[in-house]
Every structure is written in structure tokens, then in C-alpha cells.
Amino acid sequence: MFFPGLDWRSIWTLTSGHEPVDEFVEPYVASLLFFSINMVTGIILRALSSAFLPTSLRGFVMDFISTMEACSYFFENNFVLKYYGSLWFAIAIVCQCFVCARTFGDTSENPVKALHQLVAKEINVQTALLKILVQSLAGLASYRLAQLIWSLDLIADHHERYYETACESDLHVTLLIGFLIELCACLSDTWLGMQTVSSVPLLDELIKYINGATMIALGELLLCGVSTTGMYFNPAMASGHTLGCHGTALSEHFVVYWAGPFVGCFVALQMNKLIHIDVTASKGGDPQTIDKKHK
């Protein structure tokens, strides 16, 4: 727990002078508090890292913090889906994307971006591998951060997850299908992220975030009675949530949740050379919406 014996009831009693009437808060209150604590923690840790860490370490540490924060959101998103359905689940993801875009700065929350930077020759191989390692550890650390917030015991689900000792895999399709699903999800997210599909920046962001949120929501739902992979398309997040869970061997986990997204990212980078959309370019005199400078 945050401190031994300290939960939301203790905090309520300390601040109000009387014990709460109910044992738990409403699920939406618990989720909003979880998201707020997670966000503020990330903002504070990045600010401290930026202010006090040497340049050689700062980027890696801030990538760690951003990855941990991004992965932690999705532990709570599952409860949004459980209590309020897929629409609010998707809305929560879109809102988190907007928050991350405005608080993460130049940091990365997904290891596949290291491949993107490597191909673009922005970083070397050693730096890319180190970034991937750091973000992998951050994905695992995200569970501990979520567990810390769950220790406030806001709802029964938090209590259960805080004390859980085992987990079940989200992979419920064959190895090949799982690999292809995660590959295509990362391909779509990466390729669309490199395009400019609206001249209005806010709308451009919204379209991209809705694309990602829709894929994740579909990955969480039961399709024809059979669930898929959880649709992570972020290797660090997938490992933080499912590595070592019952039902999926270690080798299968890495094929689906690591090889799939990295191959998808690479394919997206190659596709972008052939098909690059920039609607703002057409306003400069080119009537085409496909930017052919990459061809």
C-alpha cells in the first residue's frame, strides 16, 4: 500500500473527520482517481528527471516514465469496459491519448518507436536496443504502479487485483493469427501516425486516436464468441499485462506481442515510402492528396 493501513477510507476520515458511509466509491470515481494519480505521477517524475538528471540518462529515464504511465492506464481501462461498455472504454483511450500527447513531450511510450528512429537514422543500434530494454522494464513496472494505486481499495475490483496471485493470458487465437493481428494493428497505427489526414491539427489527432481506440476496443470484445489478443500493439504494455500469465508460453508471447508489432512497424515505414498522405500539401498547388515525394 501507499503506507501500511492507509486506504481511501483512512484518507476520508483524516480529511473529513468522520468515516465514509459506503465501503467503496462508485466505479467511475475510482477510474477517474486512478487516471489522475497516474497522470500526475508521470508529470512530476518527468519534471524532476528533466531538472536533475544528466543529459546522458535523462532521455532513457523519461522514456521509462512515459512508458510506465501509458501502460498503467490500461490496467484501469479494463474496469471502464467492464462497468460502462466499449463506447466509454474507447472514449477513455482517446482522452488518454490527448493527455499523453500534451504531457509526454519528446519521450516515447512504445518500444517500436525505437525501430522507427533507427530506420530514420535518428539513433544508432546501441541506443535503440537500450531504449527497448528500458521500455520493456517500464512495461513490467507499470503493474507495480497500478498495484500501488489499487492499494487505496477504492472498489472491490481494485481489492481483488491488488491481492491477485495469478493471471490469464489474453491470447485466445492461434499463434499465426495472433501474430498477424498484432502486426496489422501496429502497421495501421504506425502508418496512420505518419500521415496528415486533416488540415485541422486537432481533428487530425482525433482521427488517429479513434483508429487506435477502435482497434483496442475490438481486441477486447468477444468476436463471434472468441476473443483475440487484447490488441496491445505495444510490446512493453503486452509484457506488463500478460508476460508469464497462464495459457501462453514465453516463446508464443514474444512471437505475437513483440515480433508482430516490430514487423508491423517496419512494414508501415516501407508503406509510407509508397503511400504518404498529406492533405495540407494539396493546398500548396498540388491537387493530389497523395504526397509522391517519397516515391
Side-chain angles (χ1 to χ4, degrees):
M1 293 188 175
F2 275 103
F3 297 100
L6 181 65
D7 56 21
W8 82 272
R9 301 171 198 83
S10 303
I11 297 173
W12 180 278
T13 302
L14 287 171
T15 55
S16 67
H18 59 82
E19 295 183 356
V21 176
D22 299 316
E23 183 179 6
F24 298 110
V25 301
E26 290 294 325
Y28 74 89
V29 175
S31 292
L32 288 173
L33 285 171
F34 184 104
F35 297 147
S36 298
I37 294 171
N38 188 45
M39 177 186 68
V40 171
T41 299
I43 291 172
I44 292 174
L45 291 178
R46 277 188 298 274
L48 292 173
S49 299
S50 179
F52 297 109
L53 289 180
T55 306
S56 58
L57 293 176
R58 188 183 305 156
F60 295 111
V61 173
M62 292 179 70
D63 278 352
F64 180 96
I65 295 166
S66 294
T67 303
M68 180 176 66
E69 179 186 337
C71 295
S72 293
Y73 282 122
F74 281 83
F75 285 106
E76 188 64 23
N77 285 343
N78 291 330
F79 297 131
V80 175
L81 178 64
K82 174 181 177 180
Y83 287 104
Y84 302 106
S86 58
L87 177 60
W88 281 104
F89 176 71
I91 290 173
I93 294 172
V94 170
C95 291
Q96 289 156 15
C97 288
F98 275 110
V99 169
C100 292
R102 283 150 183 76
T103 59
F104 282 9
D106 295 328
T107 63
S108 166
E109 82 293 343
N110 191 332
V112 300
K113 292 185 178 180
L115 175 61
H116 190 169
Q117 291 177 296
L118 179 63
V119 173
K121 298 182 179 180
E122 296 174 6
I123 57 177
N124 57 34
V125 175
Q126 292 82 355
T127 301
L129 291 175
L130 187 55
K131 284 169 71 72
I132 292 170
L133 174 61
V134 167
Q135 292 183 281
S136 301
L137 296 175
L140 299 176
S142 68
Y143 175 72
R144 297 303 178 187
L145 176 58
Q147 201 173 38
L148 187 66
I149 304 174
W150 289 335
S151 72
L152 291 172
D153 208 28
L154 293 165
I155 54 176
D157 299 272
H158 286 185
H159 184 89
E160 292 174 6
R161 290 229 58 182
Y162 180 77
Y163 289 104
E164 70 183 359
T165 57
C167 59
E168 294 295 330
S169 171
D170 285 333
L171 181 61
H172 299 291
V173 292
T174 64
L175 185 65
L176 177 60
I177 296 300
F179 170 82
L180 291 175
I181 288 173
E182 291 291 326
L183 184 157
C184 291
C186 191
L187 188 159
S188 172
D189 184 66
T190 303
W191 180 81
L192 187 59
M194 293 184 286
Q195 316 309 310
T196 304
V197 294
S198 173
S199 58
V200 180
L202 195 63
L203 180 57
D204 185 68
E205 274 190 277
L206 181 61
I207 292 170
K208 294 170 182 177
Y209 298 156
I210 288 176
N211 173 66
T214 301
M215 289 190 295
I216 295 170
L218 289 175
E220 290 285 352
L221 294 176
L222 295 179
L223 303 177
C224 301
V226 181
S227 57
T228 56
T229 65
M231 200 73 75
Y232 289 99
F233 55 93
N234 180 330
M237 186 182 297
S239 290
H241 284 243
T242 68
L243 184 64
C245 289
H246 297 305
T248 299
L250 193 62
S251 59
E252 294 174 334
H253 175 91
F254 282 101
V255 168
V256 172
Y257 295 113
W258 281 83
F262 273 99
V263 173
C265 176
F266 181 78
V267 173
L269 294 174
Q270 303 311 307
M271 182 184 298
N272 186 56
K273 297 177 182 179
L274 301 174
I275 307 174
H276 182 79
I277 301 174
D278 186 351
V279 296
T280 61
S282 63
K283 295 186 177 182
D286 182 359
Q288 300 295 324
T289 58
I290 303 296
D291 182 0
K292 298 183 179 180
K293 68 181 179 181
H294 294 274
K295 292 187 177 182

